[in-house]
């Protein structure tokens, strides 16, 4: 049975509840389905990891939540329940009051989100003045305080600088400051550390987790890095070819994956305890949106596929886990006996 909007999980009401979300986009060849019946929830103060290869639908899910899609060339279906509103039905005016104030987003590449012709301080001030009735002077002070809160030295000086004059790590900190300055209830972080070196990655993740702990902001953390998910998240969902194929508590999923795709992602993580040799990988690639396989979308890449593998539906398991695989129970028995 699917959870309905406003339902409780482990006694806690969902902050964001997505049910049967579908998305189609139009290009020169017509309409193509990008997301297919995506369902998951985020609870208050929770950190949810969203994992999968490039092209599996992670970023499109985030853009759908914030309705950052071309209205004439996109079709959304299903429900995105947030604060009692179905965001799918919201007007652009209503969404403009949600974005930045209640739901914020950190994009993969800060330079694509920061305006190069305005100082970073001006851009943070603009965000504040859009959502609060405050003076420019107060907005300036809050902007400087926000930069200081993300560990930027000399924040008043940095507020007067342009994005191009900042390092990649500093630009990412500016994006975090801008995303959190209005104290949103939900932060969507889309690959926030991809372009950064390992040391800066760790600093940014520590910063995000510390800010979330202090402010109570829930985080939807989109990444292909399962190591970061294992260290940082409470729950996780695995996406493949526009669908959620597995979800559950991070420790349980990583210790005991129920979907072959999740298991494949986990086995491809470098492990110093593993004997030296070729790192396991998942054969093939994510299918084209216009050439989805019949039946299970992961079937052509799955070493456990059998002819009877038809299009699987979501199956609820114990412990608030879900999986989209007909053979999950057999695979579980194989894993126990391995």
């Amino acid at each position: 049975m699917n959870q309905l909007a406003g339902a409780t999980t482990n006694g806690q009401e969902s902050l964001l509840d997505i049910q049967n979300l579908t998305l189609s986009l139009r290009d020169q060849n017509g309409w193509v389905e990008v997301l297919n019946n995506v369902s998951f929830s985020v609870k208050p103060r929770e950190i949810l990891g969203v994992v999968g290869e490039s092209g599996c639908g992670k970023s499109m899910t985030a853009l759908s939540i914030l309705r950052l899609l071309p209205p004439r060339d996109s079709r959304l279906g299903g429900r995105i329940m947030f604060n009692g509103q179905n965001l799918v039905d919201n007007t652009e005016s209503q969404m403009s009051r949600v974005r930045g104030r209640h739901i914020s987003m950190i994009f993969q590449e800060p330079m694509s989100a920061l305006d190069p012709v305005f100082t970073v301080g001006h851009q943070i001030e603009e965000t504040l003045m859009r959502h609060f009735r405050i003076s420019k002077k107060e907005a300036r002070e809050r902007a400087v305080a926000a930069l200081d809160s993300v560990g930027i030295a000399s924040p008043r000086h940095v507020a007067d600088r342009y994005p191009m004059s900042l390092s990649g790590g500093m630009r990412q900190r500016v994006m975090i400051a801008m995303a959190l300055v209005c104290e949103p209830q939900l932060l969507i972080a889309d690959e926030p550390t991809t372009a950064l070196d390992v040391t800066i990655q760790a600093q940014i993740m520590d910063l995000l987790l510390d800010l979330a702990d202090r402010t109570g902001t829930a985080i939807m953390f989109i990444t292909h890095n399962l190591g970061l998910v294992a260290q940082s998240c409470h729950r996780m969902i695995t996406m493949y070819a526009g669908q959620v194929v597995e979800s559950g508590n991070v420790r349980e999923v990583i210790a005991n994956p129920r979907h072959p795709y999740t298991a494949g992602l986990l086995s491809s993580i470098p492990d110093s305890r593993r004997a030296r040799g070729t790192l396991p990988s998942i054969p093939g690639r994510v299918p084209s949106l216009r050439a989805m396989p019949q039946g299970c979308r992961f079937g052509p890449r799955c070493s456990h596929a059998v002819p009877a593998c038809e299009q699987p539906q979501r199956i609820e398991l114990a412990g608030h886990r879900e999986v989209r695989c007909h053979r999950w129970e057999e695979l579980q028995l194989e894993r126990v006996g391995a």
Side-chain angles (χ1 to χ4, degrees):
M1 182 184 298
N2 296 343
Q3 287 186 331
L4 298 178
T8 58
T9 302
N10 292 338
Q12 197 169 23
E13 188 173 338
S14 297
L15 172 66
L16 174 74
D17 193 82
I18 295 177
Q19 290 296 324
N20 300 317
L21 178 66
T22 60
L23 169 66
S24 295
L25 298 177
R26 180 168 59 181
D27 60 18
Q28 63 272 22
N29 297 313
W31 292 93
V32 60
E33 186 180 68
V34 177
L35 300 176
N36 175 263
N37 291 324
V38 169
S39 298
F40 65 91
S41 63
V42 183
K43 292 178 286 188
R45 305 185 72 94
E46 182 176 54
I47 302 176
L48 174 74
V50 183
V51 303
E53 295 165 281
S54 296
C56 69
K58 305 187 302 295
S59 295
M60 282 298 166
T61 300
L63 294 176
S64 297
I65 293 169
L66 284 169
R67 297 276 303 279
L68 292 174
L69 297 164
R72 294 187 178 182
D73 296 315
S74 62
R75 292 174 177 168
L76 274 179
R79 296 191 299 174
I80 305 173
M81 299 301 298
F82 182 80
N83 280 345
Q85 304 176 51
N86 183 0
L87 302 185
V88 170
D89 296 332
N90 271 10
T91 64
E92 177 57 27
S93 176
Q94 289 172 319
M95 285 306 304
S96 68
R97 293 192 290 271
V98 172
R99 299 187 197 111
R101 177 64 186 92
H102 301 289
I103 306 177
S104 288
M105 184 165 177
I106 301 173
F107 295 87
Q108 291 186 35
E109 175 46 57
M111 282 307 296
S112 67
L114 293 171
D115 194 323
V117 302
F118 293 103
T119 65
V120 297
H122 173 88
Q123 294 180 61
I124 298 174
E125 293 163 26
E126 189 177 53
T127 300
L128 283 162
M129 295 180 72
R130 183 184 305 126
H131 295 292
F132 300 104
R133 293 182 177 179
I134 59 175
S135 67
K136 185 169 180 60
K137 180 180 179 181
E138 184 177 350
R140 171 70 173 187
E141 292 306 311
R142 288 198 195 182
V144 171
L147 293 172
D148 182 58
S149 74
V150 297
I152 290 180
S154 304
R156 199 170 295 278
H157 170 67
V158 171
D160 290 326
R161 293 174 63 180
Y162 292 87
M164 286 293 292
S165 70
L166 304 177
S167 67
M170 194 172 287
R171 285 196 293 264
Q172 196 65 287
R173 288 174 184 267
V174 169
M175 280 295 303
I176 294 171
M178 188 179 300
L180 293 176
V181 71
C182 293
E183 300 182 355
Q185 294 164 277
L186 174 65
L187 173 67
I188 301 174
D190 189 1
E191 301 278 12
T193 63
T194 297
L196 306 175
D197 65 46
V198 176
T199 302
I200 302 299
Q201 280 187 21
Q203 292 175 1
I204 293 298
M205 284 306 302
D206 287 344
L207 174 63
L208 279 172
L209 296 176
D210 178 63
L211 288 171
D213 184 58
R214 285 194 283 115
T215 64
T217 298
I219 300 179
M220 179 176 156
F221 180 42
I222 298 172
T223 184
H224 62 275
N225 190 327
L226 278 163
L228 287 179
V229 170
Q231 296 168 13
S232 309
C233 299
H234 303 122
R235 286 192 307 121
M236 63 179 283
I237 64 173
T238 306
M239 292 193 70
Y240 183 78
Q243 295 179 330
V244 174
V245 295
E246 184 165 6
S247 66
N249 174 278
V250 164
R251 291 184 179 181
E252 294 177 1
V253 172
I254 288 178
N256 192 11
R258 303 293 178 87
H259 194 282
Y261 180 59
T262 308
L265 291 176
L266 289 167
S267 68
S268 65
I269 299 174
D271 188 341
S272 59
R273 295 170 297 180
R274 185 182 290 136
R276 290 186 177 182
T278 303
L279 193 66
S281 62
I282 303 173
R285 61 182 63 186
V286 178
S288 164
L289 294 173
R290 293 193 178 277
M292 285 294 173
Q294 295 295 315
C296 176
R297 295 187 175 189
F298 186 60
R301 304 176 67 187
C302 182
S303 60
H304 301 284
V306 295
C309 285
E310 300 176 354
Q311 182 62 265
Q313 301 301 310
R314 287 188 297 155
I315 301 170
E316 289 194 355
L317 310 178
H320 301 284
R321 292 187 63 176
E322 290 187 353
V323 66
R324 192 184 287 265
C325 178
H326 290 303
R327 298 196 61 207
W328 73 268
E329 200 164 15
E330 300 170 58
L331 299 178
Q332 170 68 5
L333 293 173
E334 288 179 16
R335 190 174 180 86
V336 170

